[in-house]
Amino acid sequence: MYATPRAGVGLAASGQLRGVLHDLDSETLARQLARDLSDTPAGRIPGHGSQAGAMEDIIRRSLELVRNWLLSGQEPGGDVLSDLYEAAREAARHGLAAEDAIRACCGAARAVPSSVTEAGLPEDGAWPPPHLEVPWAFLDIALTTVTRAFADQRDLPSADGDSRAATLFARICARSATTIEDLDRAERLGFELAGPHCPFVAAIDGGSAAAHAGLAARLRSAGALACTQGHRVAGLTGPGFDWAGFLDDSTLILAAESATGAAGLAEAVGNLHDLVTLAGRAGRRGRIRADDFLTELMLANSPQLAEDIVRRVLGRLDAEDPSGTLSQTLRCLAAHGFNRTAAAAALPAHRNTLLYRINRIEKLTGLDLDRHAHRELARLAVVWRDTTGGDTLARPE
């Protein structure tokens, strides 16, 4: 079905189509689409248990299904579709709505032909017809698969009012004009829509989706606007909300802001998501404040600058030393305040070996690690690399 190439289509165009499809970066495209399709604010630091991650997984699998269908000319079989089915069930467990999962599939179906079109027309002036037909055929299959997955997941414990709260929360963060439906949602939830509002994000360490649904329900009963976002709960409270009873749970991670104006809500919630991610990685529990991870949050708020710093400091080290010895040495130095004795003991390495590595690091990067400004630049590079998924070295006590 929809084989490539088809009769009447030039071999050059078919070959160019295959080249474009082989070069398609599904990982990067999935991340971008997930951000574009998200209705609620999300953090910029990769973390476990987010709805954005569940949506990204559906998009990634959908992109691969469409691409492989175009390349092989074969409609995907049941064994292949089972991956999309499981991704959809996982999304349901994370509290993603079925319509959002379907939006993810639609986004992927549009993205593949868009990527082909952006590559420019082939020499004969036309792409093979399948690149237009396959995405639509995929949507028929995806709709059935996702609908069945969500239906099969209906036994997932859910909190009453969670969907209503999620819709209202997204609309408030998006600064949408208040509608009669919004007023009705707020009244049903017992939430004061007029504000002022204090945003929060909370997570239960090791908690299931059901546990987070239960937490959201308890928060709503206490007067908060709370909805599950995967293995997290996010929402808004009034300024006088009492968190004491919830913080009695030693597994709770809570990041909460003071009253925030409507214009700053989305950014504040994104920062709180990042704060919960950082706290979870560091093994922190209880109420977490921005001061605890100020450097990481500042870098997350300037991601392009952060990446430039990483390339400036660690790019040459990665290129010239694939073993990672030099970058690990710099990480250890930064973690120990550039105290060479402490770093040599932690690696472990002979002091002369450490001095040799420092000389190589300085030669490759152009840094002078005796200068405070250059040390700070190196520290920022290491912090951001670790924040976004590098090998983390334990900080000294």
Side-chain angles (χ1 to χ4, degrees):
M1 183 177 185
Y2 305 128
T4 305
R6 297 177 69 189
V9 176
L11 291 177
S14 296
Q16 190 171 343
L17 174 60
R18 289 181 178 278
V20 172
L21 293 171
H22 277 299
D23 293 340
L24 186 69
D25 187 349
S26 57
E27 293 290 331
T28 300
L29 190 54
R31 283 194 295 271
Q32 182 61 52
L33 282 172
R35 286 194 295 268
D36 293 344
L37 292 173
S38 178
D39 286 331
T40 52
R44 289 138 296 192
I45 298 172
H48 167 70
S50 67
Q51 287 184 343
M55 179 176 280
E56 184 179 320
D57 191 33
I58 291 176
I59 294 171
R60 185 184 302 107
R61 294 176 189 277
S62 297
L63 288 170
E64 290 300 312
L65 282 169
V66 174
R67 178 168 67 175
N68 292 339
W69 190 343
L70 279 165
L71 286 170
S72 69
Q74 298 296 319
E75 181 177 326
D79 55 335
V80 178
L81 287 174
S82 65
D83 288 341
L84 180 60
Y85 171 85
E86 290 302 330
R89 287 201 68 174
E90 184 66 17
R93 284 191 286 269
H94 277 68
L96 196 72
E99 52 267 31
D100 289 329
I102 292 170
R103 285 172 59 215
C105 294
C106 291
R110 288 193 301 267
V112 175
S114 294
S115 297
V116 172
T117 302
E118 289 171 5
L121 290 173
E123 293 179 2
D124 62 7
W127 287 112
H131 98 276
L132 298 174
E133 299 169 358
V134 164
W136 291 108
F138 161 76
L139 284 179
D140 287 338
I141 295 175
L143 179 60
T144 301
T145 303
V146 169
T147 301
R148 180 165 57 88
F150 271 75
D152 290 346
Q153 195 59 28
R154 281 175 184 163
D155 58 347
L156 177 70
S158 60
D160 182 40
D162 196 76
S163 177
R164 186 179 297 117
T167 300
L168 186 58
F169 178 54
R171 289 184 55 78
I172 293 173
C173 288
R175 302 173 65 187
S176 301
T178 302
T179 64
I180 294 176
E181 289 79 8
D182 293 334
L183 294 172
D184 179 65
R185 292 183 186 106
E187 183 178 357
R188 286 172 177 268
L189 292 165
F191 179 70
E192 181 54 58
L193 193 57
H197 297 137
C198 303
F200 73 90
V201 175
I204 302 171
D205 180 41
S208 64
H212 284 86
L215 173 62
R218 293 194 300 277
L219 285 165
R220 289 195 295 273
S221 296
L225 176 66
C227 57
T228 54
Q229 293 189 341
H231 286 68
R232 290 183 183 179
V233 175
L236 306 169
T237 70
F241 190 82
D242 185 6
W243 285 103
F246 296 95
L247 288 168
D248 286 342
D249 182 352
S250 62
T251 66
L252 187 72
I253 305 171
L254 171 67
E257 280 279 6
S258 55
T260 304
L265 271 180
E267 182 179 356
V269 174
N271 283 336
L272 294 175
H273 271 291
D274 288 335
L275 197 51
V276 168
T277 297
L278 292 165
R281 289 182 185 176
R284 296 282 303 277
R285 304 293 177 266
R287 187 154 190 166
I288 311 299
R289 305 186 186 281
D291 290 353
D292 299 329
F293 298 96
L294 194 57
T295 299
E296 291 89 338
L297 292 176
M298 290 174 62
L299 290 169
N301 280 305
S302 301
Q304 186 57 59
L305 177 60
E307 292 297 336
D308 289 344
I309 293 172
V310 170
R311 282 192 293 270
R312 163 73 176 83
V313 176
L314 298 175
R316 287 291 301 278
L317 299 186
D318 293 340
E320 299 293 333
D321 178 34
S323 70
T325 300
L326 296 181
S327 60
Q328 180 68 7
T329 298
L330 185 59
R331 180 178 281 107
C332 189
L333 283 163
H336 290 83
F338 293 90
N339 182 308
R340 297 180 179 184
T341 300
L347 279 167
H350 190 276
R351 184 173 177 82
N352 289 339
T353 301
L354 178 61
L355 292 176
Y356 169 74
R357 292 181 188 174
I358 290 174
N359 287 334
R360 284 197 66 198
I361 290 170
E362 291 180 332
K363 183 177 180 180
L364 289 172
T365 63
L367 297 176
D368 179 354
L369 295 182
D370 287 327
R371 292 179 57 186
H372 175 76
H374 287 195
R375 286 182 174 183
E376 188 61 18
L377 196 64
R379 187 183 73 84
L380 291 175
V382 168
V383 167
W384 188 243
R385 171 67 64 83
D386 290 345
T387 297
T388 54
D391 296 328
T392 303
L393 182 74
R395 297 179 182 177
E397 296 296 329

